[in-house]
Amino acid sequence: MDEQTIWLTILGMSLVTVIPRLLPVWLLAGRTLPPLVVTWLRYVPVAVLAAMLAPSLVLQEGHLDFSWSNLYFWVSLPTIAVAWKTRNLFLTVITGMGGIALVRLLLT
Amino acid sequence: MSQSVVNSEERPSSSPITRGVLQALPVVMGYIPIGFAYGVLAGQAHLSLFSTLLMSFIVYAGSSQLIAAGLFASGQPMLSILFTTFIVNLRHLLMAAAVSPYLSRWPQAKRLLFATELTDETFALHSLQFAERVPGARQVFAVNVTSHLSWVLGSWLGFVANTMLTDVKPFGLDYALPAMFVALLLLQIHHVKAVGVALFSGIVAVVFQLLGFATWSVMLATVLGATLGVVLESWTNKQSG
């Protein structure tokens, strides 16, 4: 991809990102959605995060992998525990990154 | 996060901007390493410094930028990158919808400016505070601008470091995104129905990927998962009613 196509792609990325951020603020001023839609929308964040996370933890090169070599899965266990206990974004990220770095250091 | 909200509120003598900057610190602590990881990956995907920082300024969406760096590296076409970005960031629609009512007294231009800088993390921070009290616009924007600049700073540091680092793995930077998703997912889970939806969506996404539908897996799993949430909700309503 040449530089100008990259800029154009980034500009497009900006548009498709900012429109969903702006649209509700623009349209919802003083309006209420049907309760069914509100309920459905309320579950989207949980569903989308789980859908993005789960494959990265249990799949290695397109296959289910729960062996010890799948560090992403095993390190996720202490990471989940810290997230659950502390409800803290920073501590969770540090636990995950530190855990992966530590295990790799010990294994090599 | 809640702690820093409380702490910044306990200093009434400090200016709103100082309070906003202090309030944003937990987000900054998360954004520097994740932005760094993005900067490294963008550099290794052979994006220029300008393109790397342009994306952090005008897209400003962590996970989608990391994914996009990977897509640029593997030479995906523009439409595929745009579509993926759109799907990954569509969740901000819900966050903007949730936070919008709190700002009903702000002029429309200010509300829209606020919404352009809405991310998972600033949403978490603001919704926590707005539930108690909506601070002045200057404090709210100080939170957003501080977070945004720390994201750009992290990206820049990562880009500069990428030529020195041939492999980000020894530092665990490749795990910043999964770890952030773990935290954000667990912060969303307040009851057992959400646990069910999370497990279901996760399994559906894995199954779709195993079947070879990687592109659509997240979207399909999200639609099915949220629908399961509605079904679970109506069951419990019938039982209690």
Side-chain angles (χ1 to χ4, degrees):
Chain A
M1 222 184 262
D2 62 81
E3 187 72 7
Q4 256 142 34
T5 315
I6 291 174
W7 293 349
L8 208 65
T9 310
I10 293 172
L11 197 68
M13 287 174 68
S14 176
L15 282 179
V16 299
T17 302
V18 86
I19 288 169
R21 284 174 180 168
L22 290 179
L23 220 53
V25 177
W26 192 296
L27 297 176
L28 289 183
R31 248 179 249 188
T32 42
L33 291 165
L36 206 66
V37 177
V38 175
T39 308
W40 194 86
L41 288 175
R42 237 191 12 245
Y43 278 101
V44 169
V46 170
V48 75
L49 286 167
M52 290 192 290
L53 178 65
S56 72
L57 298 185
V58 303
L59 297 181
Q60 292 266 294
E61 285 157 19
H63 298 283
L64 276 179
D65 184 358
F66 293 102
S67 73
W68 291 111
S69 69
N70 185 1
L71 299 183
Y72 272 37
F73 175 72
W74 292 106
V75 174
S76 78
L77 302 181
T79 309
I80 289 168
V82 168
W84 187 252
K85 271 278 175 210
T86 67
R87 324 290 288 176
N88 183 305
L89 180 71
F90 177 63
L91 285 178
T92 308
V93 171
I94 290 299
T95 304
M97 287 168 58
I100 283 275
L102 188 70
V103 174
R104 280 176 185 152
L105 193 73
L106 295 176
L107 288 181
T108 49
Chain B
M1 271 188 204
S2 57
Q3 222 168 7
S4 79
V5 174
V6 173
N7 286 346
S8 60
E9 287 303 301
E10 280 169 356
R11 294 188 202 91
S13 55
S14 60
S15 77
I17 291 177
T18 312
R19 285 204 296 273
V21 171
L22 289 174
Q23 198 191 334
L25 284 186
V27 175
V28 172
M29 305 284 256
Y31 274 6
I32 302 271
I34 300 167
F36 188 91
Y38 157 73
V40 169
L41 291 176
Q44 290 179 354
H46 302 293
L47 290 184
S48 65
L49 176 62
F50 179 81
S51 296
T52 302
L53 296 187
L54 181 70
M55 204 195 293
S56 287
F57 268 113
I58 71 173
V59 180
Y60 183 38
S63 45
S64 71
Q65 286 186 230
L66 281 150
I67 293 165
L71 295 177
F72 274 118
S74 63
Q76 293 290 311
M78 186 199 283
L79 269 182
S80 156
I81 297 176
L82 293 184
F83 181 74
T84 309
T85 307
F86 176 68
I87 296 304
V88 170
N89 290 335
L90 200 54
R91 63 182 189 282
H92 292 138
L93 191 84
L94 316 164
M95 298 179 188
V99 89
S100 176
Y102 290 115
L103 305 176
S104 54
R105 275 190 262 168
W106 284 19
Q108 184 77 326
K110 259 187 195 172
R111 284 152 43 87
L112 293 176
L113 193 63
F114 169 83
T116 58
E117 284 185 303
L118 197 61
T119 65
D120 299 342
E121 295 77 14
T122 57
F123 168 73
L125 207 62
H126 286 311
S127 57
L128 216 109
Q129 184 173 47
F130 289 178
E132 304 235 326
R133 185 182 67 87
V134 180
R138 275 199 294 173
Q139 184 177 335
V140 172
F141 279 105
V143 171
N144 282 0
V145 171
T146 307
S147 306
H148 200 158
L149 289 181
S150 75
W151 176 249
V152 175
L153 176 68
S155 316
W156 179 69
L157 292 174
F159 185 90
V160 172
N162 100 81
T163 45
M164 290 177 264
L165 294 171
T166 46
D167 190 4
V168 296
K169 288 192 165 180
F171 303 94
L173 288 174
D174 56 314
Y175 207 64
L177 187 64
M180 189 179 78
F181 281 164
V182 165
L184 290 169
L185 177 61
L186 288 180
L187 286 171
Q188 297 278 356
I189 292 178
H190 297 294
H191 47 75
V192 71
K193 279 171 282 181
V195 177
V197 169
L199 287 174
F200 177 73
S201 299
I203 291 168
V204 169
V206 168
V207 168
F208 274 119
Q209 294 217 357
L210 285 172
L211 293 175
F213 302 111
T215 322
W216 298 94
S217 63
V218 170
M219 204 171 72
L220 287 167
T222 304
V223 169
L224 292 174
T227 307
L228 175 71
V230 173
V231 171
L232 291 176
E233 199 97 336
S234 63
W235 275 354
T236 39
N237 284 352
K238 267 181 206 148
Q239 274 167 4
S240 62

